[in-house]
Amino acid sequence: MHNQFKHTHFLRGILLAVLLCLSLVLPGQAAYGASGKITGVKVTNLPAKTLTLKKGKSFKLKTKVTGTGSFSKVVSYKSSNPKVVAVSKKGKLTAKKNGKAKITITSKKNRKKKYVIKVTVGKPVKKLTLNQTSASLTAGNSLTLRTTVLPKKASNKKVLWSSGDTAVATVSSNGQVTAKKAGSTTITALAADGSGKKASCKVTVAKRAQLNIGGEVDLAALFQNASSLPLNQTLSGSVNNDMERVSYYLKAPATGRYEFIAVEKDGTPLAPDIYDQNQNELWWYSQDYDTGRYVADLTAGKTYFILFRASQPYSIRVRMLHQVNITFNATDGYYPEYNEQLEEVIKQDAVTIPYMQGDYLYQYAEQPSYGNDTKVFAGWADHPGVSASECLPVRTMTAEKDQTLYAVWADPVVVRFAANNGIFFYNEKTGSYQAIVNITYPRGLKLSADYPLQYIYFQNPTRSGYQFAGWAPSSNAGTNDIINLDQTFADQNIEYYAVWK
């Protein structure tokens, strides 16, 4: 009995000692460590802070807590809408019904450190493809890759772009690849919805070619100290006699398209001819007598002669043309594109069209659709959010570098042009002469503007015994009341009348 009492007393002593030690430890110190500091919380198995789950599916979040010293890695999970997405204590997400919810992951030691992801219960991406799987670029040039996301009604169609070697080529958030230096790299597009779907394009970058001028035939002084000229070079010289014959010869460093712009000092365009090394005259690929712009397809290593006549000092700009990509972003509209695989029309947000440098943009550009009559297409701008009056003059613009243009949409207004006792043209459908023409303009556009890609055109009205003088806002107006279409904006529905004299 005495021994049992001693044994019990001994155990009580040990228990009291343990409790005393624990009481000396600060609250939470045993679990977290006194020196620990939480610096961040993140989810490591999602490419972005977004996730799309199909109803009934689950997803286990992998969470990482960072810090210094000894710190706790324990976190808590909370759903903003458990009826849509439920989350367990271990970070398992379960999609309950279609909708959206925010999942917040919070450090239990430092509740200021948290990470939030947006979860959509809907349609995940099943397939992601690029319009190119391989591409070749010259250093300094660019191209824009386009994605196709299936299904077309995927809840989140955003993609994340990356380059395997940014020293060779970089890629922007909209898929524009810019070549930096010679080499190869892989550009990858990854679905941002957490589905893991991705597509890639291998990009090979070559050094920029140099245009080597082999020498000069008639003007030796111009090249006697120069054995080569850069790719984009202006040659200049003077002549002693009226209509003096001038010629140059050059060797093409690479097979491709070359541009020659030849003008005299006062801007008068010259008309050069081109010959091969056997003195056979060649055809220009394109020629513009009004600007002095001539384009030819040349073969690497071959010698060509450029011959022209000048009556005053002149200059010739020579450059090798490269392909550039112009992206036409439909802004709030779309481009309908038929998908043969799905046998249905897909609405594309943008189209990218390859041009050769110097090509006029309007040559291949197509007008996007809006989907209803509430807005009309006004033209293109180099940045979003502009008005119709700020549209660029696309008919006179040429492709010089990779560029994105944005569609400009505006409210429609109807401008009625009345012939005012005259006629416009014979209408075969009605079997009568047209006396009124109605044109739908974007609000804010000038009446004489280049809209949208072709000129607004209707022939001036005619009237027997009278000469058409212009347009005025009333039917009994005189020549002093004529408006200037170049300075008049389509701000409202309005009617103009022909003025006769």
Side-chain angles (χ1 to χ4, degrees):
M1 184 73 175
H2 179 72
N3 291 336
Q4 183 178 0
F5 174 80
K6 289 176 65 179
H7 180 69
T8 302
H9 183 73
F10 177 73
L11 291 175
R12 286 179 178 177
I14 293 176
L15 180 60
L16 287 172
V18 171
L19 291 174
L20 179 61
C21 291
L22 290 176
S23 67
L24 296 175
V25 179
L26 294 175
Q29 183 176 335
Y32 302 131
S35 61
K37 181 180 179 181
I38 303 296
T39 58
V41 177
K42 66 181 295 185
V43 172
T44 61
N45 58 339
L46 288 177
K49 294 182 177 182
T50 56
L51 174 66
T52 300
L53 286 176
K54 193 174 181 180
K55 180 182 176 182
K57 296 294 183 178
S58 298
F59 185 89
K60 179 68 168 61
L61 296 175
K62 293 183 180 179
T63 305
K64 181 179 181 181
V65 180
T66 56
T68 59
S70 176
F71 60 88
S72 170
K73 297 182 180 181
V74 180
V75 296
S76 63
Y77 300 89
K78 182 180 180 181
S79 172
S80 65
N81 195 345
K83 293 183 178 180
V84 173
V85 180
V87 59
S88 72
K89 293 181 179 181
K90 294 184 178 182
K92 181 180 179 181
L93 306 178
T94 303
K96 298 291 187 179
K97 66 176 183 179
N98 289 347
K100 295 183 179 181
K102 292 182 179 180
I103 305 299
T104 303
I105 303 99
T106 307
S107 165
K108 281 196 171 183
K109 181 182 179 183
N110 185 350
R111 302 196 66 81
K112 291 183 179 180
K113 301 299 180 181
K114 59 183 64 179
Y115 192 89
V116 179
I117 64 171
K118 296 179 180 180
V119 181
T120 300
V121 179
K123 293 185 177 181
V125 173
K126 290 185 177 180
K127 188 176 183 180
L128 175 62
T129 58
L130 293 176
N131 61 324
Q132 293 180 241
T133 56
S134 62
S136 297
L137 286 173
T138 302
N141 285 351
S142 302
L143 66 83
T144 300
L145 296 174
R146 290 189 292 122
T147 60
T148 298
V149 177
L150 298 177
K152 65 177 183 178
K153 291 185 178 180
S155 300
N156 183 358
K157 291 185 177 181
K158 292 183 179 180
V159 297
L160 305 173
W161 296 91
S162 62
S163 170
D165 189 344
T166 55
V168 173
T170 59
V171 60
S172 69
S173 59
N174 65 354
Q176 180 172 302
V177 180
T178 301
K180 296 296 185 179
K181 70 173 187 178
S184 62
T185 185
T186 299
I187 304 298
T188 302
L190 174 64
D193 71 342
S195 63
K197 303 301 180 183
K198 60 183 177 180
S200 61
C201 174
K202 184 178 180 180
V203 175
T204 302
V205 178
K207 291 183 178 179
R208 183 181 291 277
Q210 296 292 311
L211 178 62
N212 296 319
I213 304 295
E216 181 277 332
V217 177
D218 293 329
L219 300 177
L222 185 62
F223 291 111
Q224 62 183 1
N225 295 320
S227 60
S228 65
L229 293 170
L231 180 67
N232 190 342
Q233 178 69 29
T234 299
L235 316 177
S236 61
S238 60
V239 294
N240 298 318
N241 303 311
D242 289 344
M243 300 307 293
E244 184 173 340
R245 181 177 180 272
V246 182
S247 62
Y248 296 98
Y249 70 89
L250 59 90
K251 287 184 179 180
T255 298
R257 194 159 291 170
Y258 292 76
E259 174 190 71
F260 302 85
I261 297 181
V263 294
E264 292 184 314
K265 183 179 180 180
D266 64 358
T268 302
L270 297 171
D273 294 317
I274 185 168
Y275 299 84
D276 65 15
Q277 55 193 5
N278 297 319
Q279 300 295 309
N280 296 315
E281 185 173 2
L282 304 178
W283 291 97
W284 291 105
Y285 173 80
S286 66
Q287 51 191 349
D288 189 335
Y289 300 104
D290 294 329
T291 62
R293 180 179 186 267
Y294 293 78
V295 177
D297 288 320
L298 306 184
T299 303
K302 290 190 176 182
T303 301
Y304 298 88
F305 293 86
I306 305 298
L307 172 67
F308 60 93
R309 295 182 181 276
S311 59
Q312 58 179 304
Y314 61 86
S315 66
I316 310 174
R317 190 182 79 170
V318 186
R319 65 170 176 168
M320 183 178 181
L321 299 178
H322 297 279
Q323 178 180 300
V324 297
N325 293 284
I326 307 297
T327 298
F328 294 89
N329 189 314
T331 315
D332 296 324
Y334 64 89
Y335 286 95
E337 180 176 314
Y338 183 75
N339 188 300
E340 296 182 356
Q341 182 179 357
L342 299 177
E343 296 185 349
E344 61 183 23
V345 175
I346 297 176
K347 294 182 178 180
Q348 299 288 338
D349 296 331
V351 296
T352 299
I353 299 175
Y355 288 80
M356 289 301 294
Q357 287 176 316
D359 285 347
Y360 284 104
L361 295 184
Y362 77 89
Q363 288 177 317
Y364 311 111
E366 295 183 5
Q367 178 177 327
S369 300
Y370 193 76
N372 55 51
D373 297 330
T374 60
K375 299 287 184 182
V376 291
F377 178 68
W380 299 101
D382 57 8
H383 62 282
V386 306
S387 63
S389 62
E390 299 174 277
C391 289
L392 298 171
V394 172
R395 283 193 66 87
T396 59
M397 291 175 59
T398 58
E400 296 299 334
K401 62 181 180 179
D402 285 1
Q403 186 178 11
T404 297
L405 298 178
Y406 298 86
V408 179
W409 301 94
D411 297 329
V413 296
V414 176
V415 180
R416 169 178 283 195
F417 294 91
N420 199 16
N421 296 318
I423 57 174
F424 285 105
F425 50 82
Y426 183 76
N427 191 323
E428 295 183 355
K429 292 184 178 180
T430 62
S432 60
Y433 285 94
Q434 193 84 17
I436 294 176
V437 172
N438 293 319
I439 299 179
T440 300
Y441 281 84
R443 185 185 298 276
L445 198 72
K446 287 183 180 180
L447 296 182
S448 62
D450 177 9
Y451 163 68
L453 297 174
Q454 299 177 349
Y455 289 108
I456 288 290
Y457 173 78
F458 57 89
Q459 63 188 47
N460 289 331
T462 59
R463 182 181 178 186
S464 179
Y466 291 85
Q467 181 181 354
F468 174 72
W471 298 101
S474 64
S475 59
N476 58 355
T479 53
N480 292 333
D481 302 311
I482 291 175
I483 65 168
N484 183 350
L485 295 183
D486 289 328
Q487 301 299 325
T488 304
F489 292 86
D491 292 328
Q492 59 184 341
N493 295 339
I494 195 168
E495 186 170 17
Y496 291 107
Y497 299 85
V499 176
W500 304 101
K501 63 179 181 179

